[in-house]
Amino acid sequence: DSGVTQTPKHLITATGQRVTLRCSPRSGDLSVYWYQQSLDQGLQFLIQYYNGEERAKGNILERFSAQQFPDLHSELNLSSLELGDSALYFCASSSYPGTSVDNEQFFGPGTRLTVL
Amino acid sequence: TQLLEQSPQFLSIQEGENLTVYCNSSSVFSSLQWYRQEPGEGPVLLVTVVTGGEVKKLKRLTFQFGDARKDSSLHITAAQPGDTGLYLCAGDQGGKLIFGQGTELSVKP
């Protein structure tokens, strides 16, 4: 158990809909990262938040957005969903760049999103 | 653009054999992590290497970081069925982790 929690575990929805994925980081970690994992693209970095502020952005679509709340939990919002958005979405947390010199990230169990 | 190339992509071996997985890039990384992922679960951190030429051992797993901090290798001695899984390397570039495509390892009893 990494200490990172994600809900829901599974999500099935239809094209055009909007969903929200939730993540709670390990106790004490200020950084939260979101990743998308699909069979053809592998594990792709989407976005990072550090202590409530957006810190780095990867290949995140404009239809996707995220935020980190004062209690440090984070939400990833996916809207106007398409079939191609079906994937595993992982959240990870780390104490970098705060108290850690290495960007060791601890992953949650993921949310499997299926868009029908 | 795939910055980290892992090879081989698939590896199927018998229990007791040795194997090496490679992670190569033309980019320099401040650190490199190796993760192991089982189906339907999140990646689990195995090790972090930071210094060029560094070697770290974790039981039967040996990790090496290249002198120029652009490549890494994972060597498993006497593989066991419990080693089966997806092995991912990830390089740190300015706080962003860039993942390789992974090596799917299957160890048959």
Side-chain angles (χ1 to χ4, degrees), chain B residues 78-99:
Chain B
Q80 298 177 2
D83 295 327
T84 293
L86 178 68
Y87 289 82
L88 295 156
C89 63
D92 184 355
Q93 278 198 330
K96 249 195 268 192
L97 279 191
I98 309 298
F99 279 84

Side-chain angles (χ1 to χ4, degrees), chain A residues 23-34:
Chain A
C23 166
S24 291
R26 290 188 319 161
S27 177
D29 284 353
L30 298 181
S31 276
V32 169
Y33 308 78
W34 286 98

Side-chain angles (χ1 to χ4, degrees), chain B residues 4-100:
Chain B
L4 266 177
E5 296 286 340
Q6 273 187 250
S7 61
Q9 284 191 33
F10 302 94
L11 195 50
S12 181
I13 60 173
Q14 293 295 128
E15 181 176 2
E17 292 184 19
N18 301 332
L19 67 114
T20 302
V21 176
Y22 299 93
C23 180
N24 295 302
S25 175
S26 57
S27 303
V28 175
F29 297 105
S30 54
S31 68
L32 192 138
Q33 282 94 41
W34 284 92
Y35 292 82
R36 179 167 162 242
Q37 184 180 20
E38 301 205 25
E41 298 182 10
V44 175
L45 179 66
L46 296 175
V47 79
T48 299
V49 285
V50 179
T51 308
E54 182 176 6
V55 177
K56 278 191 174 177
K57 292 195 175 186
L58 188 67
K59 297 183 181 177
R60 293 175 294 99
L61 279 60
T62 302
F63 304 85
Q64 185 162 6
F65 203 12
D67 290 341
R69 305 205 325 272
K70 293 181 179 181
D71 53 82
S72 182
S73 64
L74 156 60
H75 182 78
I76 301 179
T77 304
Q80 298 177 2
D83 295 327
T84 293
L86 178 68
Y87 289 82
L88 295 156
C89 63
D92 184 355
Q93 278 198 330
K96 249 195 268 192
L97 279 191
I98 309 298
F99 279 84

